[in-house]
Amino acid sequence: MIGFGSTLSAQKYISTNHDEVSKTLGDSNFSSSKSLFENLKDAPDFTILAKILKNDQLRRSLEKEEMVTVFAIADEAFMNLTKKSRDSILGNTRLVNSMIKFLAVPGRLDSHSLKTAVEKNGGKALLTTVEGNSLEIIEENGQLMLVDSYNNKAKILVADFYHKNGFFHIVDGFVFPPGSK
């Protein structure tokens, strides 16, 4: 399987002056002029992730990346867990921070780039996360899916939202970094 690194470096920009790009989902308007946290903090579908991103150290680790693509977990995914599982995940700060960093990939990767990588690599592409772990992406029944080493899958529900230093895509489930279970 071939990694996805060559496309990542090609996604950097020489100039940081760009026109603002915005996209609406439900009652939320997301903008390329705002950080990931600024985009999510008032969005009703991301109250849990926004609360997680209030952690200054975690937020700064994502914002320090020149360009970063984040797979954002919607509140619905958390609510689909049993209360015990949800409390177990959210009560473990180390796991939550590790999981969020596992869902962050250096580079500005839109859905077209992700689909192209999957097609060129025989149906699977490996992404390298900001912490150097491998995150697999596949296409199943026309849907892009993230897959972790435990074979957990998270479907990309809606793609291509901009934030100040990259993209974010909305996912419906959980994938975990190696060694977290």
Side-chain angles (χ1 to χ4, degrees), residues 33-58:
S33 66
K34 297 178 186 176
S35 70
L36 177 67
F37 175 68
E38 291 168 335
N39 272 302
L40 298 180
K41 71 178 182 174
D42 296 323
D45 295 327
F46 295 96
T47 59
I48 296 170
L49 183 56
K51 185 176 179 179
I52 292 167
L53 290 173
K54 281 186 179 180
N55 175 315
D56 286 336
Q57 185 177 5
L58 175 61

Side-chain angles (χ1 to χ4, degrees), residues 95-146:
L95 172 62
V96 168
N97 290 347
S98 181
M99 186 175 66
I100 299 303
K101 289 178 186 177
F102 186 64
L103 292 169
V105 178
R108 193 174 216 169
L109 306 171
D110 64 8
S111 59
H112 177 74
S113 299
L114 296 171
K115 284 181 185 180
T116 300
V118 169
E119 289 168 6
K120 285 185 176 180
N121 292 296
K124 295 180 184 180
L126 285 180
L127 306 177
T128 301
T129 69
V130 295
E131 294 203 314
N133 292 310
S134 292
L135 176 61
E136 189 175 86
I137 187 161
I138 63 171
E139 190 170 351
E140 231 177 54
N141 301 320
Q143 288 283 161
L144 288 175
M145 309 274 288
L146 304 175

Side-chain angles (χ1 to χ4, degrees), residues 46-106:
F46 295 96
T47 59
I48 296 170
L49 183 56
K51 185 176 179 179
I52 292 167
L53 290 173
K54 281 186 179 180
N55 175 315
D56 286 336
Q57 185 177 5
L58 175 61
R59 189 174 65 249
R60 281 194 301 265
S61 74
L62 294 177
E63 291 174 355
K64 77 175 182 175
E65 296 291 325
E66 183 178 345
M67 292 289 161
V68 65
T69 299
V70 177
F71 298 96
I73 304 168
D75 284 356
E76 184 176 347
F78 286 99
M79 300 317 290
N80 286 336
L81 295 172
T82 64
K83 180 172 176 12
K84 182 179 178 181
S85 294
R86 184 173 53 246
D87 290 347
S88 175
I89 290 171
L90 294 174
N92 185 336
T93 303
R94 186 175 176 185
L95 172 62
V96 168
N97 290 347
S98 181
M99 186 175 66
I100 299 303
K101 289 178 186 177
F102 186 64
L103 292 169
V105 178

Side-chain angles (χ1 to χ4, degrees), residues 142-157:
Q143 288 283 161
L144 288 175
M145 309 274 288
L146 304 175
V147 183
D148 65 18
S149 60
Y150 306 105
N151 209 32
N152 293 310
K153 294 179 182 177
K155 184 186 327 177
I156 299 176
L157 296 174

